[in-house]
Amino acid sequence: MAQPSLLTSISSYLVISFSLLFFLTSNVEARVSCNPISYIVNETLYNTLFLHKDDAACPAKGFYNYSSFIEATKSFPKFGSTGDLTTRKREIAAFFAQISHETTGGWATAPDGPNAWGLCFKEEVNPQSDYCDSNNTQWPCYPGKTYHGRGPIQLSWNYNYGPAGKALGFNGLENPELVANNSVISFKTALWFWMTPQNPKPSCHDVMVGLYHPTAADRAANRTAGFGLTTNIINGSLECGIPTTAQVQDRINYYKRYAQIFGVDVGPNLDCANQQHY
């Protein structure tokens, strides 16, 4: 039987090698395009960021799992995938910082520091009201339901539960409890709030990825782009336009911790002390 020539063997080897390289590269690109978040935040890193979320001391133990977070991000493909890698990491760090503050279980002398205790709570502790704005006729409250803070962003008020539910495919007014009982829906409500502009507020996403274009009113109110503006969007009426509070500083401290872990700078305008709230 004739033996293959050396040239034929080398050619076959190169064809196989390039085919394998193309297959592997295509696979990686396909996976990245399907879910870019998991290539910035894998499960090990996620559990490092939220170091104590599953401690027995945390009422949300086991609720905010990595797979639910990743599943929720699939409904918001622009989250963490807009801009260059630094911009993407900075947005994710900012989002994690805000949800960590909203759900923090940390205290000054907490093990590993107060900012290692994000995602500890899934419902507001001792809510002061039912958070029903009876004047809002577009999203009327359902009898017997309360709209206190639930989930990573602590979604509150009927005028948030209603549109969030409509956007995500559940009845937020009639079944607000889902936000504290279904971890995927819970993460989706936080991402919905982060990604959705609510006039006159821009979205937190646009602020963090450089798509925010301040209006004349924004410029007059000194609402400049940066992490501080996301605080203004989330809770500005209580925390902005005044000297920096402990709450604002906690948000900033979480952001600094996560940005350092991601290896990115925090950018300008961390607080909102000199911004008028919306």
Side-chain angles (χ1 to χ4, degrees), residues 4-276:
S5 68
L6 178 60
L7 182 59
T8 302
S9 298
I10 292 174
S11 298
S12 299
Y13 173 80
L14 289 174
V15 169
I16 293 170
S17 297
F18 280 117
S19 297
L20 180 60
L21 179 61
F22 178 79
F23 173 78
L24 292 174
T25 304
S26 299
N27 254 1
V28 169
E29 289 176 348
R31 292 197 303 270
V32 169
S33 64
C34 287
N35 198 338
I37 301 298
S38 60
Y39 284 83
I40 296 175
V41 185
N42 60 31
E43 187 166 8
T44 299
L45 177 58
Y46 180 83
N47 290 331
T48 299
L49 295 168
F50 305 110
L51 196 58
H52 292 283
K53 68 180 177 64
D54 294 323
D55 280 23
C58 287
K61 177 183 178 182
F63 185 70
Y64 295 118
N65 58 79
Y66 176 74
S67 60
S68 292
F69 166 68
I70 293 298
E71 183 62 30
T73 64
K74 294 176 183 177
S75 295
F76 299 90
K78 292 183 179 180
F79 173 73
S81 65
T82 304
D84 61 21
L85 185 58
T86 296
T87 300
R88 292 163 58 195
K89 287 181 176 180
R90 194 181 289 125
E91 181 190 9
I92 297 169
F95 173 76
F96 281 168
Q98 293 291 11
I99 66 173
S100 292
H101 169 77
E102 294 294 335
T103 59
T104 186
W107 65 99
T109 59
D112 302 302
N115 300 121
W117 287 78
L119 299 183
C120 191
F121 288 86
K122 61 179 181 176
E123 292 194 66
E124 182 179 352
V125 178
N126 299 321
Q128 300 302 301
S129 75
D130 59 7
Y131 291 90
C132 171
D133 180 1
S134 58
N135 294 319
N136 190 299
T137 56
Q138 182 179 5
W139 305 106
C141 303
Y142 195 80
K145 299 297 182 178
T146 67
Y147 304 99
H148 60 269
R150 296 180 178 93
I153 206 74
Q154 290 291 280
L155 193 74
S156 305
W157 295 100
N158 50 309
Y159 51 72
N160 281 318
Y161 275 88
K166 182 178 180 180
L168 300 174
F170 74 99
N171 191 326
L173 294 175
E174 189 172 347
N175 299 301
E177 300 88 355
L178 277 175
V179 182
N181 295 334
N182 184 304
S183 57
V184 175
I185 288 176
S186 195
F187 272 121
K188 283 184 178 182
T189 62
L191 288 163
W192 169 85
F193 189 94
W194 185 264
M195 301 296 295
T196 307
Q198 296 181 341
N199 190 47
K201 298 179 182 181
S203 70
C204 294
H205 167 76
D206 283 355
V207 169
M208 291 306 303
V209 302
L211 297 177
Y212 165 60
H213 302 292
T215 64
D218 288 324
R219 290 191 292 271
N222 199 37
R223 292 193 284 261
T224 51
F227 180 75
L229 187 53
T230 68
T231 299
N232 199 337
I233 292 167
I234 293 168
N235 206 29
S237 63
L238 297 178
E239 298 181 18
C240 297
I242 56 177
T244 298
T245 64
Q247 290 89 344
V248 170
Q249 191 59 54
D250 187 60
R251 297 178 192 272
I252 293 170
N253 291 344
Y254 267 116
Y255 181 44
K256 287 181 174 178
R257 176 175 180 256
Y258 296 151
Q260 182 179 35
I261 292 173
F262 281 125
V264 297
D265 64 271
V266 294
N269 305 317
L270 293 181
D271 64 49
C272 57
N274 297 316
Q275 298 179 14
Q276 293 178 26

